[in-house]
Each structure stands twice: as C-alpha cells, then as structure tokens.
Amino acid sequence: MGIDVGGTKNLAVVLDAQGEVIEEQRRPTPKGPEAIIDTLAELATSCAPFDSIGVGVPGLVGRDGVLHASPNLVEINFFRVGELLSARLGRRVQVDNDATCATAAEWKVGAARGATDMVMVTIGTGIGGGVVAGSALIRGANGFTGEIGHMVVD
C-alpha cells in the first residue's frame, strides 16, 4: 500500500505483485498532526489487505523518516509520521518525501521503468522533484535531494 499525503487530499492505493492498482481511496487532508495520523490509519485499515506500507509526505523528510517541515501542511514540524502510524497499525511504516516516492514509482513500475537516469518534477499543491542517477534513487546526505520547489532563481 502506498499513501500520498497532499496539501488537499490523501490518496491510498494497493498494488498487486505486478504493480497494478487493485484499490484506491481518497480522503481530504485534515489540519494538525493527530488528525493526519487518524486519517492515514483509517485509510490503511479500510483498504484491501497489503504486505507493506509506504507513505509519501510533502516537505523535508530526513533519512530517519521524520518530516522536518512542510509548506503544504498546517502546524507540521518534526512530525514522526512513520513512528506514530506504525504504533497505531502495529506494523512497520516507511516514510519519504512525496516527490521522491513518485520518482521511485515511475522508475520501478511506470513511465521510466528500466531507465538508468531520470529527473522527475511533480506539480500539485507544491512543486517537488526526484532524481535517479546510475540506477539508484538519490536522496542526498540529509534526504533532501530533489527538493526543487519554492526555490528563487534570479
């Protein structure tokens, strides 16, 4: 199962072994960390059975899976999404930046399948990006590689 946390909506999908979507559900994005965890837990428990869960969140996500800051989510700083959701669901939860997750998905089962190198730009409530180089998803020293949104270029 993958859950995309967005500025306006949360989208959960369950994939089969071939990467095909077998279920999809959406919920509006609530305000505040507790309400977000409630919504994510409700999405996870209402979907078809799944083996693993990954969550993509907008903003600066460190290698430890902590959302350090998010321009699109209200009152979110140093939000331990994975830890809190894992405790609620009783299973491991992997968390990364939403654009990094989208990049990985396109590289593994989407339009960039088989590519050695790629750059992806995501446009939604915010602007994000991801990088694959030398057949590896690049995260950088702190996990922030690809964060191209909200950058001033003069």
Side-chain angles (χ1 to χ4, degrees), residues 84-100:
L84 295 169
L85 188 56
S86 179
R88 180 77 68 87
L89 298 175
R91 62 189 328 161
R92 185 169 177 261
V93 176
Q94 187 72 33
V95 178
D96 210 328
N97 170 269
D98 56 351
T100 300

Side-chain angles (χ1 to χ4, degrees), residues 5 34 36 49 60 97 102 109 121 124 129:
V5 177
E34 287 184 34
I36 289 173
L60 299 175
N97 170 269
V109 298
V121 176

